[in-house]
Amino acid sequence: MRLLMPYSGIVKGVLGMLARHELSANQRKPHIRQLIYVALPCALLLALANYLQSGYPLPGMIVAVTALLMLGTAFFLSSQEKLLAMAESLLLLFALLASVTLGLLGGIAGSGILWIYAFPFLALWLKGQRQGAQWSLVWLLAMAFSMLAGSSIFPFAYAYDEKFLLQASVALLFYTGIALAYNFSRSQLEEKLYVSEQGIQAKTRDYMAKLEQAAYQDGVTGLPNRLRLLDILGREISAAQERGHTLLVAHIRLKKMFETANIIGTDASDKLIRNIAATMTATVGSRGIFARIRRDEFVCIYRKHSEDISATEIIKDVLAFRLEYKINDYAIHIDHTIGVASFPSHAVDAETLLRKAAQAMLQAQFANQGLAFYDERLDQQFSRQQLLFAQLHEALQKGGLSLHYQGLIDLQSGAVIGAEALARWIDPVSGPIAPSEFIPIAEKSGLIKPFTLWVMREAFAQLARWRAEGLDLFVSINLSSRSILDNQLVDDLRDLLKEFNLPAEYVVLELTEASFADSPETALQTILSLHKLGFRQSIDDFGTGYSSLSYLKNLKIDELKIDQSFMRSMATDASSRAIVQSTIQLAHNLNLKVVAEGIENAKTEQQLKEMGCDLAQGYYYCKPMPADVFNQWARSWQINRRAVLSA
């Protein structure tokens, strides 16, 4: 019995006992008209053959008339889905009527035998396995009746001989079985294809779900990403507007994550980020929604329902995370900077609110603070910086900058012995822009390298012209801390010396104390390399930093330049005079010259002379001026000095 069980499903399928082999309306609809297109001409051809064949004119006429009536009607009914079943029934009734007519009137003994076996294939094609098998059974019974019992009941029925009846009966059963088996195989194949298609669709849906998840979700933490955050924040803003509530958006940047990731590795870094995300979300709880928008940046949307609690208290209390972990035996502490913007005070749409929170974070970062709220004045300043960056980039490309020169005076002889090159910028739209504004922009934006190269080239070219004209001066050029860390600086200066055929000692490179803060070893190596080339080097704004004294004994520098803030107060402030005096003595003890900048009156000049200061510059002597004007001033100064000496 068990051996027969695997075959029971096949038997049931062949006999049409499995409901899943039924055809849907969408599958049946195209079949009907296809069958009409085939059945109508075939039926008419069959009718003609029977009509012309001797002894069978009546079956031919009946088949022709019923074909035109029933098949034509079925054709029009098939245009409407709700009438499909009626159209199918008309098709099958015509086939059944034609078969019985041929059977009763002897047509199957003639040309009808060629067409009669199409019925089970027709039924199964239209109705599917189960209903097709039922129609085929009705057809077999009707054919058996028309051939076996017809002649005994109806006098006009054709009387078949026993040999033909046996052959015809076997043929009917055989072709019906073939039709059932074939259709069952086709149904099974379609079912497998359907299952396969469903599997492919399931995989596709799963793949699309993963793509959607990747598009809207951070892959490491599972938090929403920036794209998803915009949608969430938009909904939160709408809800807050309806309820009259406010929202706080906190933009959080983790400090030194790049350096930490390089130390602990990628996998450990991902683990650290997951731990940080867990800490922050647990701290805020349901009061806020977190998203990770970049590797080291998170955003928290915080719903602020009570006006009794200030935003500052909320942020300090809720977002004062303790980000301390132990990852792979590394004890890690992560600091963070937070910028906060609020709805509706600072913005009423998601994109602007996020941008202003990010701007507040940058404001906190620049001010070296842990927390900052959005400040519109600083935002305007940021916008101006962005505008000036674009304008400065264009000015560097199109020659919109110029160099002015301010004289350096030997305090003992009174002679002009050098000039400091100072960049000036007059923008066609914004007008004059102070160096104190555009130089920091160049340093922060990455334009400092092309800017410095332009300054050096212009200053070297002017120095070469002065020397060719017999004006014996040196030129002093300011270098930013970023320039000192540029590994191309030494090569650039070496190339400029060759290009303009200048001795390096006629160029003084002014460095700031900040040059040694971030990478002192790199800065020291650069300074030593420049010293070997023969350049004179000066520490600019000396006295305003904190690190220079520890490097003076090792640096190959030639002079110190005392910051002008001490000059302004030296006449009235004993402390400033003491600092200047001690700086001059310190420099001379180290065999360094001293330059005082910002001299604005004769009294300050006289005090510096008495202290033994070497060089001075300031408005007392001249303002920064274009090269051609400076040329005239320097020559005039030298003539006047000689006149004074000869008198």
Side-chain angles (χ1 to χ4, degrees):
M1 191 70 180
R2 289 182 179 180
L3 293 175
L4 296 176
M5 289 180 64
Y7 302 99
S8 61
I10 297 176
V11 173
K12 289 180 180 179
V14 170
L15 295 179
M17 300 171 65
L18 301 178
R20 66 174 179 269
H21 292 153
E22 289 299 291
L23 297 176
S24 65
N26 288 334
Q27 291 173 308
R28 287 153 48 203
K29 187 173 182 179
H31 290 177
I32 296 174
R33 289 200 170 186
Q34 292 173 10
L35 285 174
I36 291 174
Y37 293 145
V38 175
L40 184 58
C42 289
L44 294 176
L45 183 62
L46 170 66
L48 182 62
N50 279 278
Y51 182 82
L52 295 177
Q53 191 170 352
S54 177
Y56 302 106
L58 183 60
M61 293 177 61
I62 294 173
V63 169
V65 172
T66 55
L68 290 172
L69 292 176
M70 291 187 171
L71 295 183
T73 304
F75 180 83
F76 291 107
L77 292 177
S78 64
S79 61
Q80 299 184 42
E81 187 172 323
K82 62 182 180 180
L83 299 178
L84 285 178
M86 187 178 295
E88 291 171 347
S89 297
L90 281 174
L91 269 169
L92 293 175
L93 283 173
F94 160 72
L96 184 61
L97 178 61
S99 299
V100 171
T101 299
L102 291 172
L104 282 173
L105 300 179
I108 59 173
S111 61
I113 197 67
L114 302 175
W115 312 97
I116 201 69
Y117 304 120
F119 185 91
F121 294 95
L122 175 67
L124 291 165
W125 177 257
L126 278 177
K127 289 294 189 179
Q129 194 75 5
R130 182 169 61 85
Q131 292 188 34
Q134 294 171 355
W135 275 91
S136 297
L137 179 60
V138 171
W139 174 76
L140 284 173
L141 293 175
M143 292 304 298
F145 169 79
S146 64
M147 291 188 299
L148 296 176
S151 59
S152 60
I153 298 175
F154 303 107
F156 57 84
Y158 184 82
Y160 297 94
D161 59 47
E162 294 182 1
K163 185 178 180 181
F164 178 83
L165 286 176
L166 178 61
Q167 293 175 346
S169 299
V170 172
L172 289 173
L173 292 172
F174 175 75
Y175 281 106
T176 301
I178 291 294
L180 289 169
Y182 169 76
N183 199 68
F184 175 69
S185 299
R186 180 178 64 84
S187 300
Q188 289 287 86
L189 177 60
E190 288 179 351
E191 185 173 341
K192 289 179 180 179
L193 290 175
Y194 174 78
V195 172
S196 176
E197 182 182 355
Q198 292 299 306
I200 293 173
Q201 290 179 356
K203 290 180 180 179
T204 302
R205 287 193 297 270
D206 183 59
Y207 180 69
M208 293 301 295
K210 289 180 179 178
L211 283 180
E212 184 176 0
Q213 180 179 355
Y216 292 99
Q217 190 178 78
D218 175 58
V220 176
T221 63
L223 294 174
N225 61 12
R226 178 178 174 80
L227 192 61
R228 179 65 175 151
L229 174 65
L230 285 169
D231 180 53
I232 293 172
L233 183 54
R235 292 203 305 268
E236 289 293 325
I237 287 175
S238 298
Q241 284 176 326
E242 292 177 1
R243 301 186 180 109
H245 294 160
T246 59
L247 292 174
L248 295 177
V249 174
H251 190 115
I252 306 155
R253 172 175 282 179
L254 308 176
K255 294 183 178 180
K256 297 188 180 300
M257 276 302 300
F258 181 78
E259 294 85 344
T260 302
N262 281 339
I263 294 172
I264 65 177
T266 303
D267 292 340
S269 177
D270 288 346
K271 182 179 179 181
L272 175 61
I273 286 292
R274 285 192 289 269
N275 286 339
I276 290 173
T279 298
M280 292 192 296
T281 53
T283 303
V284 174
S286 61
R287 294 169 294 181
I289 303 171
F290 269 95
R292 186 189 183 203
I293 59 172
R294 292 186 185 88
R295 177 176 61 183
D296 57 351
E297 295 182 27
F298 292 82
V299 168
C300 177
I301 305 171
Y302 190 83
R303 306 178 184 94
K304 179 172 172 283
H305 302 314
S306 174
E307 295 298 332
D308 298 332
I309 304 175
S310 71
T312 305
E313 290 173 342
I314 290 174
I315 296 298
K316 286 184 176 179
D317 179 53
V318 178
L319 301 182
F321 310 116
R322 293 183 59 84
L323 306 180
E324 298 176 350
Y325 309 95
K326 192 169 185 179
I327 307 290
N328 294 351
D329 295 329
Y330 288 101
I332 299 172
H333 172 78
I334 301 296
D335 290 320
H336 55 279
T337 303
I338 303 174
V340 181
S342 65
F343 164 85
S345 300
H346 298 141
V348 294
D349 66 276
E351 188 75 49
T352 306
L353 194 58
L354 285 176
R355 182 182 63 81
K356 292 188 174 182
Q359 180 60 33
M361 183 275 295
L362 292 175
Q363 293 167 9
Q365 186 171 283
F366 292 151
N368 199 25
Q369 298 174 345
L371 171 69
F373 284 84
Y374 172 76
D375 188 328
E376 186 174 357
R377 294 170 301 174
L378 293 177
D379 190 25
Q380 293 173 352
Q381 179 182 345
F382 179 76
S383 298
R384 175 170 171 78
Q385 289 175 349
Q386 293 294 101
L387 174 63
L388 289 181
F389 163 72
Q391 292 174 328
L392 179 59
H393 185 269
E394 184 177 5
L396 281 169
Q397 290 183 325
K398 298 183 178 181
L401 301 174
S402 63
L403 283 186
H404 284 202
Y405 297 88
Q406 187 176 32
L408 285 155
I409 309 299
D410 187 322
L411 285 175
Q412 303 309 315
S413 66
V416 180
I417 62 172
E420 181 179 5
L422 300 167
R424 293 294 182 264
W425 180 20
I426 300 178
D427 185 76
V429 178
S430 303
I433 301 171
S436 59
E437 186 173 15
F438 71 78
I439 290 178
I441 291 174
E443 290 180 329
K444 293 175 183 177
S445 66
L447 291 176
I448 192 62
K449 181 169 182 174
F451 173 76
T452 301
L453 192 57
W454 172 83
V455 169
M456 294 190 301
R457 176 174 291 279
E458 289 291 313
F460 275 52
Q462 186 58 55
L463 178 60
R465 285 193 290 269
W466 281 336
R467 286 175 57 79
E469 295 169 1
L471 197 58
D472 189 17
L473 300 173
F474 67 83
V475 170
S476 183
I477 301 172
N478 291 282
L479 295 179
S480 73
S481 57
R482 291 183 182 269
S483 297
I484 293 298
L485 301 179
D486 180 8
N487 55 15
Q488 282 291 114
L489 176 65
V490 176
D491 292 335
D492 289 339
L493 284 166
R494 184 187 293 111
D495 293 341
L496 288 172
L497 289 177
K498 293 179 181 178
E499 180 180 351
F500 293 101
N501 193 25
L502 290 172
E505 60 266 22
Y506 277 79
V507 178
V508 177
L509 303 175
E510 295 190 11
L511 320 172
T512 62
E513 295 181 73
S515 302
F516 317 108
D518 294 332
S519 301
E521 295 300 326
T522 302
L524 178 61
Q525 186 61 44
T526 301
I527 291 170
L528 292 175
S529 298
L530 293 174
H531 175 74
K532 290 179 182 179
L533 286 177
F535 288 101
R536 292 157 58 191
Q537 298 177 84
S538 172
I539 301 297
D540 193 14
D541 299 332
F542 186 80
T544 58
Y546 303 97
S547 60
S548 292
L549 290 176
S550 63
Y551 292 105
L552 282 179
K553 62 185 180 65
N554 296 322
L555 291 176
K556 298 295 183 179
I557 60 173
D558 300 276
E559 65 181 40
L560 300 180
K561 198 169 188 179
I562 303 175
D563 187 69
Q564 58 183 319
S565 61
F566 297 106
M567 301 301 116
R568 297 193 185 103
S569 60
M570 195 172 67
T572 58
D573 183 16
S575 297
S576 294
R577 289 196 299 273
I579 291 173
V580 173
Q581 179 69 67
S582 61
T583 300
I584 293 172
Q585 291 176 354
L586 172 65
H588 287 168
N589 289 336
L590 295 172
N591 295 319
L592 304 176
K593 287 188 176 183
V594 178
V595 181
E597 61 180 348
I599 311 305
E600 297 183 356
N601 53 66
K603 184 177 181 180
T604 302
E605 180 192 47
Q606 185 58 38
Q607 289 176 322
L608 289 169
K609 285 182 179 180
E610 294 171 356
M611 292 177 183
C613 185
D614 301 294
L615 304 175
Q617 71 180 98
Y619 283 8
Y620 178 63
Y621 308 106
C622 69
K623 293 182 178 181
M625 58 191 82
D628 55 345
V629 179
F630 178 84
N631 195 352
Q632 297 174 8
W633 172 85
R635 293 183 186 278
S636 175
W637 178 277
Q638 302 292 42
I639 293 172
N640 292 336
R641 185 182 68 86
R642 284 196 294 270
V644 171
L645 290 176
S646 62

